[in-house]
Amino acid sequence: MDRRDFLAVLAVGVAAALSGCGTTETRTAAPPPGPTPSGSPTDAVLRAPAGMFGPPVGLVRVPVPEGSITMLPGRGNYVALTVDDGTDAEVLAAYIALARRTGLRLTFFANGYMSSWTDHAPDLRPLVDQGQAIVCNHTWSHRDLTRLSEREIATEVQHNEQFLTNTYGSNGRPFLRPPYGRHNHRVDRTLAALGYPAVTMWWGSFADSTPQPPARIVANAEQWLLPQRLVIGHANHPGVMSVMDQIVDIIKQRNLQPVHLADIFDLTQVPPIPPMPTSTPVHTPSPTATPTPSGRPSATKGPTPLPHPTGSPTRTHPPKPGTQH
């Protein structure tokens, strides 16, 4: 091979080599870096797909009844998950993050003296403003209303209303859940005069106001998350955080549409707010909950409430027609 032929072959080989390097470089280029995982416990447990649930469509709201609300009215595939207390700020944050991620609609029942409701208001308030969640009245300091005077009941309720208005832009009326589920004719009459014609109870519970193994919480969710049920959970103990994705999976697999109470009931005819009593100071106990036989936290000292089943509310008087279960 003469010198000219050698140089021609060499040039072709170099060109081919350069072309191959370019192709290899293009195929093996690393993709642009994605967002760095935060590594927070909340992110770790939220494995349910984003945007799993949308808002309900075609609902016709019904008037708020008198008496007690224990389930959703009528027939349908709706389910209302309610979250009480808030003794553990991290659990409350996990519920808020779950709602933001999946579209789950939630009804919260807050005790305003628990700091979690103030600490996480910047994250929860946007969900309230957007109509995805509502925050309702569970009294200011979680006292047994059957052991209080009418004036003390009013102070507990209205102090919490002021907190909810200042923090979440709504006073939570007309939905109030009495602590421990305890109420009677006198309590009901007092609450009705304060703008709460129907005491909000439940039909189904995660039974997690005290510490529970995650598997037990899932079992309770499987038992109670059914059409037209009003189910109670608690933001009190971390066991529920590791199974939140399983809870939303149960809702989705059963083709249930999550709703909150303002999706179902017409709030346009709520009575006017009575004046705030001033003569009775509000009792503000320690926010540390202590277990009771009923499976609910006691945020106050004093007599322990009588136990009652965790899956259905206590009634101190016969239910009105249509609420029996």
Side-chain angles (χ1 to χ4, degrees):
M1 178 182 295
D2 60 22
R3 183 171 182 275
R4 287 179 299 178
D5 292 338
F6 172 77
L7 292 176
V9 171
L10 180 62
V12 171
V14 170
L18 290 174
S19 175
C21 288
T23 302
T24 303
E25 185 73 21
T26 301
R27 290 177 179 174
T28 61
T36 302
S38 68
S40 70
T42 298
D43 291 336
V45 301
L46 297 182
R47 299 186 296 274
M52 176 180 287
F53 304 110
V57 177
L59 269 176
V60 178
R61 293 181 175 88
V62 301
V64 177
E66 296 182 4
S68 296
I69 300 172
T70 59
M71 62 180 297
L72 303 182
R75 297 181 180 274
N77 66 329
Y78 303 109
V79 66
L81 177 55
T82 65
V83 181
D84 283 19
D85 299 350
T87 61
D88 190 314
E90 189 175 7
V91 179
L92 179 58
Y95 267 114
I96 297 169
L98 182 71
R100 292 174 62 181
R101 178 179 175 83
T102 66
L104 184 67
R105 299 173 81 80
L106 293 172
T107 303
F108 294 94
F109 283 94
N111 300 114
Y113 87 103
M114 295 180 183
S115 61
S116 59
W117 298 104
T118 301
D119 295 343
H120 293 300
D123 295 321
L124 180 53
R125 174 69 184 266
L127 296 182
V128 174
D129 292 341
Q130 296 161 17
Q132 186 181 337
I134 59 173
V135 184
C136 301
N137 204 325
H138 198 33
T139 74
W140 172 251
S141 60
H142 208 277
R143 302 176 70 189
D144 181 351
L145 299 184
T146 65
R147 300 180 183 274
L148 303 183
S149 69
E150 285 81 357
R151 179 57 63 87
E152 288 173 321
I153 293 173
T155 302
E156 278 284 319
V157 169
Q158 293 184 323
H159 191 174
N160 210 39
E161 285 185 345
Q162 287 190 332
F163 167 79
L164 294 178
T165 300
N166 294 339
T167 308
Y168 293 102
S170 172
N171 59 28
R173 296 164 68 230
F175 305 115
L176 182 143
R177 176 166 286 156
Y180 318 105
R182 290 183 58 81
H183 64 114
N184 54 30
H185 284 297
R186 183 180 63 87
V187 170
D188 292 353
R189 184 175 61 251
T190 304
L191 294 178
L194 294 171
Y196 300 89
V199 174
T200 306
M201 303 296 281
W202 60 91
W203 187 5
S205 174
F206 293 167
D208 61 346
S209 62
T210 54
Q212 296 291 335
R216 171 53 56 189
I217 297 173
V218 172
N220 290 332
E222 290 177 338
Q223 179 181 1
W224 296 113
L225 289 171
L226 297 168
Q228 304 305 105
R229 295 299 179 89
L230 205 167
V231 180
I232 182 176
H234 297 80
N236 290 355
H237 302 283
V240 70
M241 294 175 62
S242 64
V243 296
M244 285 183 173
D245 62 316
Q246 296 180 57
I247 291 171
V248 297
D249 282 344
I250 293 169
I251 296 173
K252 187 67 174 180
Q253 290 166 6
R254 295 179 177 181
N255 197 32
L256 299 173
Q257 168 65 58
V259 295
H260 56 61
L261 294 179
D263 291 326
I264 299 295
F265 296 102
D266 184 358
L267 309 187
T268 61
Q269 299 182 8
V270 178
I273 303 174
M276 176 72 177
T278 57
S279 61
T280 303
V282 174
H283 174 63
T284 305
S286 168
T288 302
T290 56
T292 70
S294 65
R296 289 178 178 75
S298 171
T300 62
K301 296 179 180 179
T304 300
L306 297 176
H308 58 275
T310 58
S312 59
T314 293
R315 287 197 180 92
T316 54
H317 51 79
K320 290 185 176 294
T323 62
Q324 183 66 45
H325 59 267

